[in-house]
Amino acid sequence: MDTSDARNRIFARIRNAQHRPDAARANEQAAAEDYLARHPQGPRPAMGDIMATFIAKAETLSTTINRVPAMSDVPAAASTYLQANGLTTRAVAWPTLRSLDWASAGCEVEFRKPHGDDLVGITGCFCAIAETGALMMMSGPQTFASATLLPETHIAVVPASRVVAGHEDGFALMRSERGQLSRATNFIAGPSRTADIEQTLVLGAHGPYRVHLIIVDGA
């Protein structure tokens, strides 16, 4: 079953239950788009060096960072990080990273969704937000969200050109390139954490224990 068709049928049933005609959908979407065009963003604090701000914010979230000159350097950087931390060099990754030479870097990478026993997930990202140090992830057949959530270690490849100032810029980029949100849009701000028990911070509570970013300056 096509996902978009199923979604449209669900929305149609909701509109029928509310006694709203099908035309209401187009009118409401047009009104929302008009509002966004007239109110693209609210007041925002001034920001200096976007990349420096992003790195500083990400590091406060317990994210580790490495910078490389080109995409071809990513596999070696990932391998170095994994070995330095005593982690396995076996990983699952997004198919969008298939063209990189992982084998020569000593990484055994499978391009598929993770299973329960996969410990390392390697992904790209849609964009990165300097204001919060978060990654904006948009799911799709080649960019499945599970690779960012299930493995204990998440390595994300972040092109320097995709680091934007604020969340408003991330959503503006989404509208210009995609037109609409993906089925799942996640913001990843460092390793999963909780302090529910006696206000003691615990990492890896609901997702990865560690998040490592490889920033590609030439991408």
Side-chain angles (χ1 to χ4, degrees), residues 20-187:
R20 294 160 58 221
D22 288 342
R25 175 187 177 190
N27 294 336
E28 290 166 359
Q29 182 170 345
E33 291 174 349
D34 175 68
Y35 180 88
L36 288 172
R38 290 183 292 106
H39 304 83
Q41 57 182 294
R44 298 166 62 184
M47 184 177 298
D49 187 319
I50 291 177
M51 180 60 73
T53 300
F54 170 68
I55 291 174
K57 291 290 186 180
E59 289 179 338
T60 64
L61 298 170
S62 302
T63 296
T64 56
I65 295 174
N66 185 23
R67 298 180 73 169
V68 298
M71 284 294 293
S72 58
D73 300 308
V74 167
S79 179
T80 298
Y81 167 77
L82 293 171
Q83 294 184 58
N85 288 275
L87 303 171
T88 179
T89 53
R90 296 183 60 186
V92 294
W94 282 358
T96 55
L97 301 172
R98 187 188 297 273
S99 63
L100 299 178
D101 189 359
W102 298 98
S104 293
C107 293
E108 184 180 342
V109 179
E110 296 182 42
F111 303 93
R112 57 168 174 80
K113 295 180 180 179
H115 302 148
D117 57 350
D118 289 309
L119 300 179
V120 179
I122 305 175
T123 75
C125 71
F126 178 72
C127 69
I129 312 297
E131 186 176 10
T132 59
L135 304 180
M136 183 176 183
M137 318 293 287
M138 297 184 67
S139 68
Q142 305 294 308
T143 57
F144 31 82
S146 55
T148 72
L149 301 171
L150 293 182
E152 292 182 354
T153 299
H154 175 205
I155 297 176
V157 181
V158 183
S161 62
R162 305 291 290 189
V163 178
V164 300
H167 285 260
E168 296 91 340
D169 303 292
F171 283 107
L173 189 63
M174 175 275 299
R175 286 191 293 272
S176 67
E177 294 185 355
R178 303 285 187 92
Q180 62 181 0
L181 290 172
S182 60
R183 184 180 182 187
T185 300
N186 298 311
F187 288 91

